[in-house]
Amino acid sequence: MEIQKLNDLPGKTIERLSQYRRILFNSINQGKTNIYSHELAKMMNLTSVQVRRDLMLIGYSGSQSKGYIIKDLITLIGSIIDSKNPLNVAVVGMGNLGRAITSYFSGKRERLSIVAAFDNDTQKIKRIIAGIPCHHINKIKEVAPEMNIQIAILTVAPQGTMEAARMIIDAGIKGILNYTSVPLTVPENIHLEEYDIITSLEKLAFFVKQDID
Amino acid sequence: MEIQKLNDLPGKTIERLSQYRRILFNSINQGKTNIYSHELAKMMNLTSVQVRRDLMLIGYSGSQSKGYIIKDLITLIGSIIDSKNPLNVAVVGMGNLGRAITSYFSGKRERLSIVAAFDNDTQKIKRIIAGIPCHHINKIKEVAPEMNIQIAILTVAPQGTMEAARMIIDAGIKGILNYTSVPLTVPENIHLEEYDIITSLEKLAFFVKQDID
DNA sequence: GTTAGGTTGATAATTTTTTAACAATATTGA
DNA sequence: TCAATATTGTTAAAAAATTATCAACCTAAC
């Protein structure tokens, strides 16, 4: 096998590894100890080839008889996608979406935690929302370094997006997960992922309408 | 130009068309009437080549001097991605995420509207939440055809995902936008888009940690 | 034993998506 | 007028991602 540097795995593979792990946790909770590529594939709507290819890329080998050992695979995936030093995340924008993400995520991962929230609504400041203390966005430059925050999830209203992003970057945060519908432009050294809900709905609508129109 | 059937445009192009249009709306509100490919590209973090290529695929031509006429381009994009007959959308799961999506989306599109919500929490039933009437999920099979619902946005808790999906499909809905972290398997004739928030965060974390570990 | 069935791991082929290259055209300014 | 500049549209190349293929191997059944 060609030696694949683990830190330049394809982005799509990283996404799938995260999902494999989630499924593997479920399987282990159901008492399974081993799993075949086609089983994993079925649960993820993939082909078994793709599962095996992904696992090949991370250098994991199974056995022909038992497939993959779930426990080991979980550990290996963790060693690749989890950070050694825990990463701290802030939610910027504590509206419905921010709260949804916060409460959904809280306590789910060991090495990736939402530790703070920011908002510009003074009603929300100093309150604990979904278990997380909420600060005024103006304080982000002080709070982020104090709490060692490396990632921000951006869930503010569209008109506030650019300004919020500017403040996030100014606070020294290196990763932004943008859930607003405003595309961002960021400096090269900032990692950016965009997940726009409206786009996803319009894309789906496009394919659905083909059956109708 | 090779003739490109508009209904088999690449999925990625569809996504971008939706985003182009959003940006174009903004530009027109700011008083612009024309736009160059590189301007559009900058706002979307793309190259101008990609913009031009996308527009080529939908058969739109600009001029060398003035670039593209925003109004015309918006119209053309609409004629491609919007449905002739309006599409009706239901939100299944009226927690924080469901409410966030509902309130965010309400009134934004003419031919794509959230018209109903479903939940299994009796507290929520019969109430109007974010402007949308909320029904018990058990009623979906009656309500969906009555209201002519073609798309469901799935935002229930993980453990309820499979069951909810089953009911959605059983109600004759042909498109599912899955925002839960549970991968779905659906029949071939059902259109499915998966957007998992945890995956997106873990992917971003992977790239951020490279700078740290 | 040995054959049949099923699985992994790896390479190759294919498809999809992005990026490069460049001719054609329009505008501006000397 | 004509060169310089800037833009579009298109084809070609490259890169990324997926899918096909198949040898090697293990197990179980006979």
Side-chain angles (χ1 to χ4, degrees), chain A residues 23-204:
Chain A
I23 287 176
L24 292 170
F25 274 128
N26 283 343
S27 301
I28 235 174
N29 286 339
Q30 288 164 22
K32 281 181 74 100
T33 57
N34 296 69
I35 196 166
Y36 294 114
S37 59
H38 68 261
E39 293 176 300
L40 205 40
K42 174 129 191 244
M43 291 191 265
M44 297 235 339
N45 284 321
L46 304 171
T47 64
S48 63
V49 180
Q50 189 155 49
V51 172
R52 290 201 301 276
R53 208 171 192 302
D54 283 335
L55 301 191
M56 189 188 76
L57 290 179
I58 64 174
Y60 185 70
S61 287
S63 83
Q64 284 88 346
S65 45
K66 300 292 181 80
Y68 305 101
I69 300 166
I70 297 178
K71 195 166 62 60
D72 292 356
L73 188 47
I74 287 176
T75 304
L76 178 60
I77 291 176
S79 78
I80 292 166
I81 69 177
D82 289 338
S83 179
K84 286 198 203 74
N85 327 19
L87 289 178
N88 292 324
V89 180
V91 175
V92 178
M94 224 25 182
N96 281 320
L97 182 55
R99 288 200 298 276
I101 292 176
T102 306
S103 56
Y104 190 87
F105 207 78
S106 73
K108 285 267 165 55
R109 287 287 168 281
E110 243 176 80
R111 300 226 180 74
L112 188 59
S113 328
I114 295 177
V115 298
F118 296 91
D119 204 296
N120 64 358
D121 178 352
T122 49
Q123 295 278 307
K124 291 178 186 140
I125 309 307
K126 302 236 169 126
R127 287 177 47 204
I128 308 286
I129 301 176
I132 302 295
C134 186
H135 307 267
H136 194 282
I137 179 73
N138 288 337
K139 294 279 193 292
I140 192 171
K141 196 164 179 178
E142 302 158 34
V143 176
E146 268 172 26
M147 303 193 74
N148 198 24
I149 291 169
Q150 291 101 347
I151 291 176
I153 303 177
L154 191 47
T155 54
V156 300
Q159 59 273 20
T161 305
M162 305 267 256
E163 176 67 0
R166 199 191 53 68
M167 296 176 91
I168 288 166
I169 293 168
D170 192 45
I173 291 171
K174 297 300 183 197
I176 299 178
L177 185 54
N178 181 20
Y179 269 101
T180 78
S181 56
V182 180
L184 285 181
T185 306
V186 300
E188 268 216 357
N189 64 327
I190 305 292
H191 298 273
L192 175 67
E193 292 280 327
E194 311 242 11
Y195 284 84
D196 171 24
I197 290 173
I198 295 186
T199 297
S200 62
L201 182 53
E202 292 198 329
K203 181 182 178 191
L204 177 61

Side-chain angles (χ1 to χ4, degrees), chain B residues 59-117:
Chain B
Y60 185 70
S61 287
S63 84
Q64 284 88 346
S65 45
K66 301 292 181 81
Y68 305 100
I69 300 167
I70 296 178
K71 194 167 63 61
D72 293 355
L73 188 46
I74 287 176
T75 304
L76 178 59
I77 292 175
S79 78
I80 293 165
I81 70 177
D82 289 338
S83 179
K84 286 199 203 73
N85 328 19
L87 289 178
N88 292 323
V89 180
V91 175
V92 178
M94 225 23 181
N96 281 319
L97 182 55
R99 287 200 299 276
I101 291 176
T102 306
S103 56
Y104 189 87
F105 207 79
S106 73
K108 284 267 165 54
R109 287 285 169 283
E110 241 176 80
R111 298 227 181 75
L112 188 58
S113 330
I114 294 176
V115 298

Side-chain angles (χ1 to χ4, degrees), chain A residues 15 18 21-22 45 80 84 104 109 158 179 181 184 191 196 198-200 202-203 209 211 213, chain B residues 15 18 21-22 45 80 84 104 109 158 179 181 184 191 196 198-200 202-203 209 211 213:
Chain A
E15 287 180 18
S18 159
R21 181 166 66 169
R22 206 126 22 94
N45 284 321
I80 292 166
K84 286 198 203 74
Y104 190 87
R109 287 287 168 281
Y179 269 101
S181 56
L184 285 181
H191 298 273
D196 171 24
I198 295 186
T199 297
S200 62
E202 292 198 329
K203 181 182 178 191
K209 91 176 170 73
D211 299 343
D213 281 354
Chain B
E15 288 179 18
S18 160
R21 181 166 66 169
R22 208 129 17 96
N45 284 322
I80 293 165
K84 286 199 203 73
Y104 189 87
R109 287 285 169 283
Y179 269 101
S181 55
L184 284 180
H191 298 273
D196 171 23
I198 295 186
T199 297
S200 62
E202 292 197 329
K203 182 184 178 190
K209 92 176 169 73
D211 299 343
D213 280 354

Side-chain angles (χ1 to χ4, degrees), chain B residues 142-182:
Chain B
E142 301 158 34
V143 176
E146 267 172 27
M147 304 192 73
N148 198 23
I149 291 169
Q150 291 100 350
I151 292 176
I153 303 177
L154 191 46
T155 54
V156 301
Q159 59 274 20
T161 305
M162 306 267 256
E163 176 68 0
R166 199 192 53 68
M167 295 176 92
I168 288 166
I169 294 168
D170 192 45
I173 292 171
K174 296 301 182 197
I176 299 178
L177 185 52
N178 180 20
Y179 269 101
T180 78
S181 55
V182 180

